[in-house]
């Protein structure tokens, strides 16, 4: 059984690829500040995501669309000051990667703020951008399924890939982004069977949120782990309730992911 311990050395893209090959799950937390980032390092959290969810969890917006580059840079810098061992991913805000050239300019700023990888939302249309960034040494995490920056196009925060057509589209997007050189892939709110098909089909490690137990890793937003969200999504879990304190909540989340206990059926879409 896994018991959390502090990360011994910095986690790299290669560390995570090896974990996928070895069938060892890794832990990811979306968080936004130095003290939480330090606690993640102490708990052995392999990857932290400075998510643009901070627009909703920290800044009080009702979507991620208003988040700016300056806000992302401010929070990436804070997380990088607090954590020297986890792999730090920085989200690129709405429309800052609409063309490959724009993506290169803005990804450079996120990396210079202290991220080790950038995350972008979208399918095959981003293959050229992934190539542009990775060829120049900027690792990329892709994000498929429910992509919150497209909430108005998707018609709400809904599960994606329930019908065969949309499932095929997401599978094809994943294959093209993998082929283009993406290093990680977040799968958000997709049926567990689709997440498994994608995870088995691609070479890159997959990170699930509302995507069942069969992805290579899990990610949750720190506010959900700590029960701070007024209307928590079905796929999240308040680990503070059981653990009683914040370090304990993070440890319990890490243990449950590593031991294959979280997510449970009640957190999963079928
Ligand atoms: O912005 C974010 O925190 C995210 C995760 C929910 C995957 O994209």
């Amino acid at each position: 059984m896994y018991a959390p311990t502090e990360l011994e050395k910095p986690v790299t893209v290669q560390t995570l690829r090896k974990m996928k090959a070895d069938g060892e799950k890794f832990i990811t937390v979306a968080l936004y500040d130095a003290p939480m980032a330090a606690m993640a390092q102490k708990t052995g959290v392999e990857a932290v995501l400075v998510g643009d969810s901070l627009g909703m969890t920290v800044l009080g917006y009702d979507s991620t669309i208003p988040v700016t580059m300056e806000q992302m840079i401010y929070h990436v810098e804070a997380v990088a000051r607090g954590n020297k061992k986890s792999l730090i991913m920085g989200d690129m805000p709405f429309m800052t990667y609409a063309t490959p050239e724009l993506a290169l300019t803005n990804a450079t700023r996120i990396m210079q703020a202290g991220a080790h990888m950038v995350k972008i939302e979208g399918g095959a249309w981003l293959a050229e951008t992934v190539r542009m960034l990775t060829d120049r040494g900027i690792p990329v995490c892709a994000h498929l399924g429910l992509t919150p920056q497209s909430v108005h196009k998707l018609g709400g925060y809904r599960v994606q890939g329930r019908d065969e057509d949309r499932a095929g589209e997401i599978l094809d997007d994943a294959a093209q982004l993998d082929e283009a050189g993406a290093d990680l892939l977040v799968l958000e709110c997709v049926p567990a069977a689709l997440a498994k098909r994608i995870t088995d089909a691609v070479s890159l490690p997959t990170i699930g949120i509302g995507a069942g137990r069969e992805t290579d890793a899990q990610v949750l937003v720190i506010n959900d782990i700590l029960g701070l969200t007024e209307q928590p999504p079905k796929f999240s879990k308040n680990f503070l309730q059981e653990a009683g304190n914040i370090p304990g909540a993070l440890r319990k989340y890490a243990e449950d992911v590593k031991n294959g206990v979280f997510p449970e059926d009640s957190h999963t879409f079928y």
Side-chain angles (χ1 to χ4, degrees):
M1 290 293 262
Y2 168 87
T5 49
E6 173 143 20
L7 292 169
E8 277 174 18
K9 47 184 188 178
V11 175
T12 65
V13 171
Q14 288 71 22
T15 316
L16 302 181
R17 283 211 179 240
K18 178 161 185 333
M19 289 177 82
K20 175 174 176 120
D22 293 347
E24 187 189 340
K25 294 204 183 290
F26 61 89
I27 312 153
T28 309
V29 180
L31 47 76
Y32 321 102
D33 60 38
M36 282 300 168
M39 204 174 285
Q41 176 176 320
K42 272 214 166 81
T43 313
V45 171
E46 283 93 357
V48 296
L49 167 66
V50 187
D52 63 350
S53 52
L54 68 84
M56 298 157 95
T57 54
V58 178
L59 302 176
Y61 300 130
D62 59 10
S63 79
T64 58
I65 292 172
V67 174
T68 64
M69 277 298 295
E70 284 64 35
Q71 288 162 343
M72 285 309 305
I73 285 168
Y74 179 85
H75 286 276
V76 168
E77 284 175 348
V79 167
R81 281 192 289 268
N83 185 321
K84 304 294 174 202
K85 301 271 176 67
S86 307
L87 183 128
I88 300 172
M89 294 187 259
D91 248 335
M92 297 195 60
F94 185 63
M95 286 304 141
T96 61
Y97 51 97
T99 65
E101 291 71 24
L102 203 51
L104 185 59
T105 304
N106 288 314
T108 302
R109 294 183 67 200
I110 301 267
M111 297 296 282
Q112 287 177 335
H116 308 125
M117 181 180 289
V118 297
K119 181 166 82 59
I120 54 182
E121 297 181 7
W125 70 273
L126 281 172
E128 191 188 340
T129 299
V130 169
R131 257 186 222 105
M132 161 83 108
L133 297 178
T134 55
D135 282 354
R136 286 159 181 76
I138 300 180
V140 175
C141 177
H143 184 155
L144 293 171
L146 171 55
T147 45
Q149 291 174 13
S150 307
V151 59
H152 298 304
K153 181 76 179 156
L154 297 174
Y157 296 99
R158 307 157 178 268
V159 180
Q160 300 293 310
R162 275 199 154 131
D163 63 273
E164 222 9 80
D165 281 358
R166 179 80 176 112
E169 201 176 286
I170 297 172
L171 195 57
D172 186 54
D173 284 341
Q176 292 202 44
L177 293 166
D178 190 31
E179 169 71 26
D183 296 277
L184 293 176
L185 171 61
V186 167
L187 293 171
E188 180 165 355
C189 287
V190 297
L194 175 60
K196 177 169 170 36
R197 267 170 82 191
I198 294 172
T199 300
D200 290 346
V202 295
S203 66
L204 54 67
T206 59
I207 307 176
I209 177 162
R213 267 189 297 274
E214 309 273 1
T215 49
D216 299 308
Q218 296 289 328
V219 58
L220 275 187
V221 169
I222 190 71
N223 292 50
D224 292 342
I225 293 175
L226 302 182
L228 294 171
T229 312
E230 215 165 295
Q231 288 184 307
K234 168 188 160 87
F235 56 74
S236 73
K237 180 170 172 181
N238 175 351
F239 285 90
L240 183 65
Q241 210 159 32
E242 199 179 318
N245 58 50
I246 295 175
L250 214 50
R251 273 202 304 275
K252 181 76 179 122
Y253 165 61
E255 275 170 16
D256 283 2
V257 170
K258 291 276 187 181
N259 295 328
V261 174
F262 179 83
E264 298 160 39
D265 288 349
S266 60
H267 307 117
T268 302
F269 303 105
Y270 290 99

